[in-house]
Amino acid sequence: MSGPHSILFRAYSQDGVIEKEHLLSEFAAAGFDSDNPIARELIAAVRGCDTVLDETAFERLYDCSPALLAQILEGNLIIADFKGFRAQIEEIFNQVRENREGQVASYIPQLEKVDPEKFAVAICSIDGQRMALGESRDYFCVQSCSKPLTYCIALEQLGVEEVHRFVGREPSGKTFNELALNAHGLPHNPMINAGAIMCGALIERGKSPAERFDAVLDIWREAAGGDCRIGFNNAVYLSEKQTGDRNYALGHFMREKKAFPEGTILADVLEFYFQCCSIETSVEALSVIAATLANGGHCPLSGKMIFRPENVKNCLSLMLSCGMYDFSGEFAFMVGMPAKSGVSGAILLVVPNTCGIAIWSPRLDELGNSVRGVDFCRKLVSRFRLHTFDQMVGLNDGRLDPRRSTYEERLGGGTFFLWACANGDTSEMRRLVARGVDPAVCNYDDRTGLHIAASAGQLEAVRYLLKVGVPVNREDRWGNRPLDDAIREGNDHVAALLKERGAECRTAAV
Ligand code: GLU
């Protein structure tokens, strides 16, 4: 039998069969369990099989979900070693759990009475791989984590030009609810209260308050993959409304400055803002929303486009510069990823083109960010090269990149480097060294680039390798040195250069 399934079958079968449990454990290790809407059908199909699958049974299974099955079994997923990644995240989670600094928000009773010990993290990759730790199904109100979505919805409905006629895009340098507007009498950006109130005034215009909120909740549900509960906490909403003097003041201040579009009913707009803060969900759902942003607006679980990529790009830019209250600059510097936090202790963290992460722990620092949330983010980038500008840093700084397989991680650009040596492509060699490839890297036969370039007669490459300090007399698996290679292949210029730099033949050494 042959066909695309047979290569997979050959790779995974033993004595002509694959064990069903083996397949299920491969799926789970890759981040797919039966709760995951992407994999539900495939997992149900595997469960329906006999304990072992022969090639015919496997082919039937393959036909049920060829793309996903191949992706999982080939390890062709954005987080290649999901099992290893999960283990690292669990370690960080357990360390961070010990951090009991900070205080829960106390301006409304609904937040004050939340158990401060609660802690949950959920991750969803852009390929839909998922994991969750702690109280990942507990509900909490999203508070300011609603702001990026309100902004995205405004961008979708009005376009960037129109939205930014009403709201700026500069960090305010002031607290999130400061009674201040920019020099044009507009809110500084959509990530602070005034800007979010304004974005709320821009969306679903002409609809009744009920229709407007319904439409927004629908978008939240779609962004979360349509599967998780997105609710509303009425008590939080009533409290927000009752204690919202500052937000009322902001609304009046903007109305006085004629900042709102014509026809805006201020009371409706403020209520809408309080309602958005009172949307209630879990880290599981929030991580899928973050993953939708990480995936340029396509929900990884449903494949639907929720927001256009250019709008997501704009939203992420502002989350990066303004998303973490007065800690935004420091967070961008240190963690380097777009994020938005809320006073309920939630953080929506986006690793562009990789995954979405949601963290919830109610104790806040003095700037209003979840203490454990920030701690988690710091520890995450100390282990993984996920800072947006980590690509500037060499590959060999000891941190991992979850987007590479273990071998890619370990070998880095080594294989490419050795090919460049063989071809005498010194500019490529230089680029790879600049990216952190060790110029003394060996292949599996212990041959360095110098052995290879010497064999191939690549004089310039040899010159470069000597300059960057590749050992001149290293022996390969057979005891050959670069000079042996040059002489054997009759590359006299190379041999002369090597000798000049102290190279010896293996025979000379014995
Ligand atoms: N709902 C509160 C307010 O608008 C806090 C929002 C937040 O920053 O999470 O004042």
Side-chain angles (χ1 to χ4, degrees):
M1 240 182 283
S2 72
H5 75 278
S6 53
I7 300 173
L8 297 176
F9 186 77
R10 205 174 311 135
Y12 280 84
S13 59
Q14 237 183 343
D15 304 328
V17 290
I18 303 183
E19 283 180 24
K20 162 171 142 177
E21 284 308 319
H22 183 185
L23 277 182
L24 290 172
S25 69
E26 288 291 333
F27 295 174
F32 297 97
D33 59 24
S34 51
D35 278 352
N36 193 324
I38 296 187
R40 200 171 283 153
E41 215 180 309
L42 179 61
I43 290 176
V46 177
R47 291 228 166 98
C49 293
D50 297 335
T51 10
V52 293
L53 287 81
D54 62 11
E55 189 163 351
T56 316
F58 184 76
E59 187 177 12
R60 233 178 287 127
L61 190 70
Y62 179 85
D63 290 340
C64 144
S65 199
L68 182 63
L69 190 59
Q71 225 183 348
I72 297 174
L73 297 183
E74 287 168 15
N76 203 359
L77 293 154
I78 186 72
I79 300 181
D81 175 18
F82 198 74
K83 203 170 163 186
F85 178 72
R86 188 200 307 259
Q88 297 270 350
I89 298 291
E90 276 171 7
E91 260 184 52
I92 301 178
F93 184 85
N94 291 328
Q95 283 171 8
V96 170
R97 192 197 272 288
E98 300 308 314
N99 188 341
R100 294 193 168 76
E101 285 166 35
Q103 304 287 331
V104 298
S106 56
Y107 71 96
I108 56 171
Q110 289 68 27
L111 288 179
E112 196 172 16
K113 69 181 187 211
V114 174
D115 176 0
E117 268 307 303
K118 295 279 181 189
F119 185 29
V121 170
I123 301 183
C124 175
S125 85
I126 58 165
D127 285 324
Q129 302 161 275
R130 295 174 80 182
M131 64 168 290
L133 301 170
E135 286 91 8
S136 59
R137 290 191 172 166
D138 277 23
Y139 293 102
F140 52 87
C141 54
V142 296
Q143 292 289 353
S144 282
C145 289
S146 60
K147 290 177 169 107
L149 275 94
T150 305
Y151 175 52
C152 279
I153 298 170
L155 290 174
E156 287 293 310
Q157 298 187 353
L158 283 89
V160 64
E161 303 264 316
E162 184 67 5
V163 168
H164 285 291
R165 280 182 49 219
F166 297 96
V167 56
R169 40 196 189 220
E170 279 293 338
S172 68
K174 305 202 169 72
T175 49
F176 68 103
N177 61 1
E178 181 85 13
L179 203 53
L181 298 174
N182 70 16
H184 307 285
L186 299 178
H188 287 88
N189 67 67
M191 300 298 148
I192 55 171
N193 289 20
I197 294 170
M198 179 58 80
C199 288
L202 299 177
I203 62 188
E204 304 289 350
R205 287 179 65 77
K207 286 197 179 155
S208 72
E211 286 171 329
R212 184 186 308 165
F213 189 61
D214 254 352
V216 165
L217 266 194
D218 279 346
I219 298 173
W220 273 75
R221 288 195 187 105
E222 293 268 303
D227 220 38
C228 308
R229 187 184 145 230
I230 305 285
F232 175 71
N233 187 322
N234 196 40
V236 170
Y237 162 69
L238 293 171
S239 283
E240 288 291 341
K241 203 167 133 169
Q242 201 178 24
T243 59
D245 291 331
R246 176 58 68 112
N247 291 317
Y248 283 108
L250 279 170
H252 283 284
F253 188 29
M254 289 193 281
R255 189 164 72 179
E256 190 234 353
K257 295 280 181 205
K258 304 214 173 344
F260 287 112
E262 223 164 288
T264 300
I265 301 169
L266 185 56
D268 287 356
V269 166
L270 287 164
E271 297 220 335
F272 178 72
Y273 171 78
F274 298 134
Q275 287 160 355
C276 289
C277 288
S278 312
I279 289 173
E280 192 179 59
T281 193
S282 61
V283 286
E284 285 198 344
L286 219 46
S287 69
V288 181
I289 294 176
T292 297
L293 297 178
N295 198 28
H298 280 82
C299 175
L301 299 191
S302 65
K304 283 191 199 158
M305 191 175 84
I306 316 298
F307 304 121
R308 273 183 282 259
E310 62 268 31
N311 293 335
V312 172
K313 176 188 149 200
N314 292 331
C315 180
L316 296 182
S317 302
L318 291 181
M319 285 169 74
L320 185 64
S321 58
C322 319
M324 296 293 287
Y325 303 120
D326 286 359
F327 192 62
S328 301
E330 183 63 22
F331 192 87
F333 183 83
M334 203 179 62
V335 177
M337 283 182 263
K340 183 74 200 87
S341 69
V343 288
S344 50
I347 296 184
L348 188 77
L349 180 70
V350 178
V351 191
N353 298 318
T354 305
C355 64
I357 303 181
I359 311 159
W360 173 56
S361 171
R363 288 198 199 92
L364 309 178
D365 60 22
E366 61 286 358
L367 296 174
N369 293 308
S370 165
V371 172
R372 283 174 175 159
V374 171
D375 195 7
F376 181 91
C377 296
R378 274 184 212 265
K379 294 201 160 71
L380 185 70
V381 286
S382 72
R383 288 190 190 218
F384 291 105
R385 278 192 293 270
L386 292 177
H387 187 298
T388 305
F389 302 119
D390 268 333
Q391 56 189 330
M392 306 290 159
V393 181
L395 291 174
N396 296 324
D397 67 353
R399 291 179 302 152
L400 304 164
D401 190 333
R403 293 161 289 211
R404 290 161 185 266
S405 78
T406 322
Y407 285 104
E408 261 179 279
E409 177 67 39
R410 183 140 29 96
L411 300 174
T415 306
F416 298 111
F417 183 76
L418 296 176
W419 275 90
C421 293
N423 291 326
D425 186 345
T426 48
S427 11
E428 181 65 6
M429 289 162 66
R430 209 168 282 126
R431 276 195 291 272
L432 289 165
V433 171
R435 274 192 247 155
V437 173
D438 176 5
V441 62
C442 299
N443 69 7
Y444 48 81
D445 286 328
D446 287 339
R447 288 173 64 71
T448 62
L450 201 53
H451 289 97
I452 292 169
S455 298
Q458 299 292 3
L459 187 63
E460 283 316 305
V462 169
R463 209 186 293 284
Y464 176 75
L465 290 164
L466 292 170
K467 198 178 83 191
V468 291
V470 177
V472 73
N473 284 320
R474 174 140 324 152
E475 292 183 356
D476 67 15
R477 179 150 81 97
W478 302 279
N480 288 317
R481 298 173 172 200
L483 184 56
D484 297 311
D485 287 309
I487 294 173
R488 189 191 62 240
E489 300 299 325
N491 297 324
D492 300 341
H493 295 311
V494 171
L497 175 62
L498 285 169
K499 277 188 207 155
E500 222 180 279
R501 305 296 172 89
E504 291 178 347
C505 290
R506 64 189 299 199
T507 40
V510 282

